[in-house]
Amino acid sequence: MARGAESKRRRLSPPGDDEAVQSKADMEWDVEQDYERRPRKVTKKAGESARLPIKTSEGFVQAEVQPPTQDEDKGEETDSFLGTDDDEEEEGSEEEEEAEEELPKIPIKVQIMQAKEELAKMATLINEEPEEHTSLFKTMAEMVTRKNTCLTVKKLALASQATIYKDVIPGYRIRPLSEEDKTGRVSKEVRKLRDFEQSLVSGYRNYVQTLGALAKNSRDGSIDPSLKSFAINMACTMLLAVPHFNFRSELLKILVNRLARRTVDADYVKCRDTLEDVFAKDNDGTVSLEATALIAKMMKAKDFHIHPSLLDTFLHLRLLGELHMKASQDRADREEEEAPGKKPKQKREFRTKRERKVQKERKEVEKDMRQADAVVSHEQRDKNQAETLKLVFGLYFRILKLRIPPLMGPVLEGLAKYSHLINQDFFGDLLEALKDLINHAEREEMGEEGDQEVTQEEDDEEDQTTI
């Protein structure tokens, strides 16, 4: 027979037993919590290391154990899992400082090799797609201003930037964007080109400012002399390579500041030769006018206490009628003419009547445009050269009036070369200055002869008294 469903049996216990069990459980929980809240103490035996062994060619080597610090001796090695966030931040900062101190020092040769590879990689990317890698200009500039960088790496970074800028800089001057240009709607290509131009101008401005800071005289000796000389050479290189581009005035100031000192060294000769090349290659006279104005201002500020060779740079100026042919002080060489004779026949290209008419009209338009550009350029060139000539003659006349002996030779040589360009209004002043100079020289000669006669008479009187 199947058994029926048995009813559950309940355990009967007196009411006092449940309360005793509950109180016992609470006491055990309190004991566990007290034990859990106690701080853990980590004890290490002397010479014991918790680091893993290092595998070498000779086998496994146990890592060296650092001696305990004073803080560890005082008992600060206790570790609490209930520490505050401040303690964790302090521990993190201490670990970072220790990591910085433990960084190995890279040898200088390795630093130079790494810098060469990095600069070559960045230069390749910029030359391939300059519009896509404008951020690399800033990265290369940081290699010069970065602390703890060896001198050779700084020079490599400066030279690499100069080479890249010479390749990337366009053949025109980039103007700053106006508010209308920034807010106006343009195509995607135009906006991309504008962003690249503004990034290029910003990076080149920082580069020129870095050159100016390195080329200054540091009284505390914080700038290495070789780095200063290298910065001056880079400024000369950029002025010769891109005289039309932005920040030309800053480059000229670097050169003029070096020429303001009378000590002639390699840097002085480099700056002087650079100015002579700039004067000789300047076609429109803009750079020559700007450089002459800076030199004149510097000379007046120093009361003409300069080296005489600086005035010789004005002899290389291309003033007024000296641009249409190759000229020298002795002879003038005209442009070579083609030898008379039959010209070789050129293969004629077949064109329709309509194409010939369009080509003829296009040639006429191009001819008119060339003539208009030539008129404007000639007018601007003549104006710049007239202003330059006025500055040069102003310096010459002032030196003549002051009668500065070391500078008289270059001044007279310059007057002899440019005398045919002097305005008629200045001839009277020039002749008066030359007349005063001659009279002054004669008076000095007369004074010397009088002194010699007086000394001769005194000697004769002494001889007579002795007799």
Side-chain angles (χ1 to χ4, degrees):
M1 292 179 65
R3 294 183 179 180
E6 295 182 355
S7 60
K8 293 183 179 180
R9 296 180 181 180
R10 292 184 176 180
R11 181 180 179 182
L12 299 177
S13 60
D17 293 344
D18 295 336
E19 294 177 357
V21 172
Q22 184 66 28
S23 61
K24 185 177 181 182
D26 293 340
M27 290 175 63
E28 292 178 354
W29 173 258
D30 294 337
V31 172
E32 292 177 357
Q33 289 299 315
D34 292 339
Y35 181 78
E36 183 67 23
R37 291 191 182 94
R38 292 178 185 176
R40 269 72 168 172
K41 292 185 179 181
V42 181
T43 58
K44 293 183 180 180
K45 296 181 181 179
E48 183 180 356
S49 174
R51 297 183 180 181
L52 295 174
I54 301 172
K55 185 178 181 181
T56 61
S57 59
E58 299 178 357
F60 289 95
V61 179
Q62 190 66 29
E64 297 181 359
V65 182
Q66 297 181 353
T69 59
Q70 296 179 357
D71 296 336
E72 292 177 352
D73 294 341
K74 293 179 180 178
E76 291 188 2
E77 60 184 6
T78 58
D79 186 12
S80 174
F81 294 98
L82 302 176
T84 58
D85 295 337
D86 297 336
D87 297 339
E88 293 178 357
E89 292 177 358
E90 291 177 359
E91 291 176 359
S93 62
E94 291 176 359
E95 290 178 357
E96 291 178 358
E97 292 177 358
E98 291 178 357
E100 291 179 356
E101 292 177 357
E102 292 178 358
L103 284 175
K105 291 184 179 180
I106 304 175
I108 295 179
K109 291 184 178 180
V110 178
Q111 291 183 21
I112 294 172
M113 292 299 298
Q114 292 178 354
K116 286 182 179 179
E117 293 176 359
E118 188 176 355
L119 290 170
K121 194 178 297 182
M122 288 189 289
T124 304
L125 292 174
I126 293 174
N127 286 328
E128 289 178 353
E129 295 181 355
E131 297 178 357
E132 300 294 336
H133 301 92
T134 55
S135 61
L136 295 179
F137 293 134
K138 185 177 179 181
T139 306
M140 297 180 73
E142 290 176 352
M143 296 181 68
V144 182
T145 58
R146 191 185 303 165
K147 293 183 179 180
N148 300 327
T149 305
C150 68
L151 192 62
T152 307
V153 174
K154 290 184 178 181
K155 292 180 181 180
L156 287 172
L158 290 174
S160 300
Q161 289 182 79
T163 305
I164 290 172
Y165 282 125
K166 285 193 293 183
D167 295 339
V168 176
I169 285 176
Y172 54 88
R173 190 181 182 92
I174 298 175
R175 63 176 180 85
L177 295 178
S178 60
E179 294 296 333
E180 296 180 357
D181 296 334
K182 294 178 181 178
T183 57
R185 297 183 61 182
V186 294
S187 61
K188 187 176 179 181
E189 290 77 9
V190 174
R191 186 172 297 278
K192 185 178 181 180
L193 179 60
R194 285 181 177 177
D195 293 340
F196 166 70
E197 289 179 346
Q198 297 306 314
S199 301
L200 176 62
V201 169
S202 177
Y204 188 64
R205 179 179 62 248
N206 294 333
Y207 178 64
V208 174
Q209 290 176 354
T210 303
L211 293 179
L214 294 175
K216 286 182 179 179
N217 291 326
S218 58
R219 297 180 179 178
D220 56 352
S222 58
I223 301 176
D224 189 86
S226 61
L227 184 61
K228 175 183 174 183
S229 177
F230 192 82
I232 293 175
N233 288 332
M234 289 298 102
C236 296
T237 302
M238 296 308 299
L239 184 60
L240 286 175
V242 287
H244 64 278
F245 198 61
N246 304 46
F247 311 108
R248 177 181 60 221
S249 302
E250 284 73 9
L251 294 174
L252 286 172
K253 287 178 182 178
I254 295 174
L255 272 66
V256 173
N257 289 334
R258 178 60 193 88
L259 293 172
R261 285 177 289 168
R262 302 183 67 178
T263 56
V264 179
D265 54 2
D267 296 339
Y268 186 95
V269 175
K270 178 69 176 178
C271 295
R272 187 186 61 196
D273 294 344
T274 302
L275 278 181
E276 292 177 357
D277 292 342
V278 169
F279 289 158
K281 297 177 182 178
D282 188 17
N283 292 325
D284 58 357
T286 306
V287 185
S288 299
L289 176 58
E290 193 171 352
T292 306
L294 288 173
I295 293 173
K297 185 177 179 181
M298 180 269 292
M299 287 182 178
K300 294 175 183 178
K302 292 184 68 64
D303 294 332
F304 296 95
H305 293 294
I306 58 171
H307 196 270
S309 62
L310 179 58
L311 290 172
D312 293 335
T313 57
F314 294 147
L315 301 177
H316 297 266
L317 288 169
R318 304 177 69 179
L319 297 177
L320 299 178
E322 297 186 3
L323 288 172
H324 62 281
M325 63 180 65
K326 299 178 182 179
S328 64
Q329 293 183 355
D330 302 331
R331 58 189 177 85
D333 299 333
R334 295 183 179 179
E335 295 180 357
E336 297 180 358
E337 299 180 356
E338 295 182 358
K342 294 183 178 181
K343 296 182 180 180
K345 293 183 178 181
Q346 296 179 356
K347 187 177 180 181
R348 297 183 64 181
E349 184 179 354
F350 176 78
R351 294 187 181 90
T352 61
K353 185 176 181 181
R354 182 180 180 87
E355 290 177 351
R356 289 197 300 270
K357 184 178 180 181
V358 171
Q359 186 180 11
K360 184 178 180 181
E361 293 177 352
R362 187 177 299 169
K363 286 183 178 180
E364 291 178 355
V365 172
E366 291 177 354
K367 183 178 179 181
D368 295 339
M369 292 294 294
R370 285 196 301 269
Q371 291 178 354
D373 292 340
V375 170
V376 174
S377 62
H378 281 301
E379 290 179 355
Q380 186 65 31
R381 185 190 65 189
D382 294 342
K383 183 179 178 181
N384 293 334
Q385 291 178 352
E387 293 294 329
T388 305
L389 190 64
K390 187 186 297 184
L391 289 171
V392 172
F393 281 132
L395 291 174
Y396 286 167
F397 292 159
R398 181 165 295 189
I399 293 172
L400 285 176
K401 289 180 179 181
L402 293 175
R403 299 188 186 93
I404 304 173
L407 305 181
M408 296 306 295
V411 168
L412 295 176
E413 188 177 355
L415 289 173
K417 182 175 182 180
Y418 300 125
S419 59
H420 63 286
L421 301 175
I422 300 177
N423 194 351
Q424 293 180 358
D425 299 334
F426 292 103
F427 262 111
D429 298 335
L430 176 60
L431 292 176
E432 288 182 3
L434 293 175
K435 185 178 179 180
D436 294 340
L437 181 63
I438 294 171
N439 293 333
H440 180 71
E442 289 179 352
R443 284 195 299 269
E444 287 184 352
E445 290 180 359
M446 292 290 292
E448 291 178 357
E449 291 178 358
D451 294 338
Q452 291 178 0
E453 291 178 358
V454 170
T455 54
Q456 184 66 30
E457 290 178 357
E458 292 177 353
D459 294 338
D460 295 340
E461 292 177 357
E462 289 180 358
D463 294 339
Q464 290 179 1
T465 54
T466 53
I467 293 170

